[in-house]
């Protein structure tokens, strides 16, 4: 007799989709079989059961451009839970004046209210080669991935190629992962300098000011440092066909490179910037073309792209008020709650993905790359009982008012979806059931990532 049994669902793994009961004891999956009995039973007849989604790229409670992303770790993880997400990886807030271990200590306080499990990537800002001990210190704190920017010089976040190469040497020794935001700073600057004053006031210029070429140029450069140092390198939010080709080239040259993309790059295009409310779609990288979207879906299918994450960085309409230029906006889109339904409805529903791609791209992929796969990312005996019960036939419409992210718009407002998470289980606890929140604030745990 198990504590909890999920009965009669179709359990979906990267290899198969089959009718199985799942037995859970405590926080762990303890049995997979038929006719299991439990003290509590959740009937999942007609439902798909996926491993809990791991969103490996979120920005809750992030200070940016004189404001803060509008979800904190409570509202953001509640929204995540409603969307079937049971773990997130967020970021420390790096600064020129602090150290990476100090950033981690500070961020540990911010994440306290989370209702799902939260791990951290460390943002690397203003790092110098004589500070190499900071990486080892971060590793001792359970943080084994480090985020670099090739752009954003004005805010001090850019790391030059020379410094990045030195950092990669240290990270390779520690077997840690470097995440890189790839946009070529010099190219962006030269394009910006060529824009007329009128163009600066035109939202639709954003995609031309930060074109796909910026992305591929930066990926190629990072790829050379990765190949030379042997550092495991992960390219965040790949947005373009050119970007995908640069990732493939880097791998051919010997770089241990992985890549993610985000729902917004799969389903939204730069034509969004021409809408009346186009400024709400400000994001970096910029939205691209239909051709890019097609190549990204192909990349997911043929495993060139390893997983999908959201880059969830929500702002309200008020925060995104148009102030006369596309440079005077906070950049980022909400998405943690709509990740699974969009991948399912737009991907599986339209024949671009198969149902078994969902656990590979949303759970197993990020778990393997970030060293969570000992506990999370798959439905197997001994793993954390992180599960989402998903109704593949439920038809609904995306409306910001009925979502739980703390923002008053969705980039997908009015989109018709088929398929929705109905119940979410985190470490054996039902935290959302039939649209009702059952979790206590602060129940989430820190995802301490230990390396062998
Ligand atoms: Zn990001």
């Amino acid at each position: 007799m198990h504590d909890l049994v999920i009965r009669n669902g179709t359990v979906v793994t990267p290899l198969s989709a089959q009718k199985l009961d799942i037995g859970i004891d405590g926080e762990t999956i303890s049995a997979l079989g038929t006719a299991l009995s439990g003290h509590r039973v959740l009937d999942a007849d007609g439902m798909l059961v996926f491993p809990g989604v791991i969103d490996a790229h979120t920005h809750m409670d992030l200070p940016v451009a004189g404001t803060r992303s509008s979800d904190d770790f409570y509202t953001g993880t509640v929204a995540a839970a409603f969307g079937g997400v049971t773990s997130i990886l967020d970021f420390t807030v790096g600064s020129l004046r602090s150290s990476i271990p100090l950033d981690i200590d500070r961020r540990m306080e911010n994440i306290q209210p989370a209702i799902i499990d939260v791990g951290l990537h460390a943002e690397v800002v203003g790092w110098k080669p004589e500070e190499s001990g900071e990486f080892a210190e971060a590793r001792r704190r359970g943080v084994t991935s480090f985020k670099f920017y090739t752009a954003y010089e004005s805010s001090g976040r850019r790391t030059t190629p020379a410094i990045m190469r030195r950092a990669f040497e240290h990270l390779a020794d520690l077997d840690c992962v470097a995440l890189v935001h790839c946009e070529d700073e010099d190219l962006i600057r030269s394009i910006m300098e060529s824009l007329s004053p009128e163009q600066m006031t035109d939202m639709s210029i954003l995609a031309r000011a930060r074109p796909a070429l910026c992305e591929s140029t930066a990926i190629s450069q990072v790829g050379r440092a990765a190949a030379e140092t042997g550092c495991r390198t992960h390219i965040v939010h790949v947005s373009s066909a050119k970007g995908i080709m640069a990732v493939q080239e880097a791998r051919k040259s010997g770089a241990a490179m992985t890549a993610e993309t985000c729902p917004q790059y799969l389903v939204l295009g730069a034509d969004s910037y021409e809408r009346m409310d186009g400024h709400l779609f400000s994001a970096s990288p910029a939205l691209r073309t239909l051709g890019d979207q097609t190549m990204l879906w192909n990349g997911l299918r043929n495993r060139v792209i390893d997983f999908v994450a959201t880059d969830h960085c929500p702002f309200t309409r008020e925060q995104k008020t148009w102030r006369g230029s596309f440079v005077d906006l906070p950049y980022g889109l909400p998405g943690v709650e709509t990740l699974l339904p969009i991948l399912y409805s737009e991907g599986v529903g339209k024949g671009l993905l198969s149902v078994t791609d969902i656990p590979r791209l949303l759970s197993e992929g990020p778990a393997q790359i970030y060293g969570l796969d000992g506990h999370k990312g798959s439905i197997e005996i001994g793993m954390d009982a992180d599960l989402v019960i998903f109704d593949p036939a439920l038809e609904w419409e995306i409306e910001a008012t009925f979502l739980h992210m703390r923002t008053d718009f969705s980039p997908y407002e009015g989109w018709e979806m088929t398929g929705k998470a109905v119940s979410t289980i985190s470490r054996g606890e039902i935290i959302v059931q039939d649209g009702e929140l059952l979790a206590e604030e602060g129940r989430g745990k820190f995802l301490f990532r230990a390396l062998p």
Side-chain angles (χ1 to χ4, degrees), residues 57-59 62 91 147 149 181 236-237 260 284 310-313:
H57 189 157
T58 66
H59 298 284
L62 174 72
F91 295 81
K147 168 87 174 284
Y149 298 86
H181 173 122
V236 293
H237 48 53
E260 76 193 31
S284 175
T310 62
D311 201 4
H312 175 80
C313 191

Side-chain angles (χ1 to χ4, degrees), residues 309-320:
T310 62
D311 201 4
H312 175 80
C313 191
F315 298 99
T316 61
R317 286 172 183 274
E318 164 89 35
Q319 287 174 298
K320 285 214 179 195

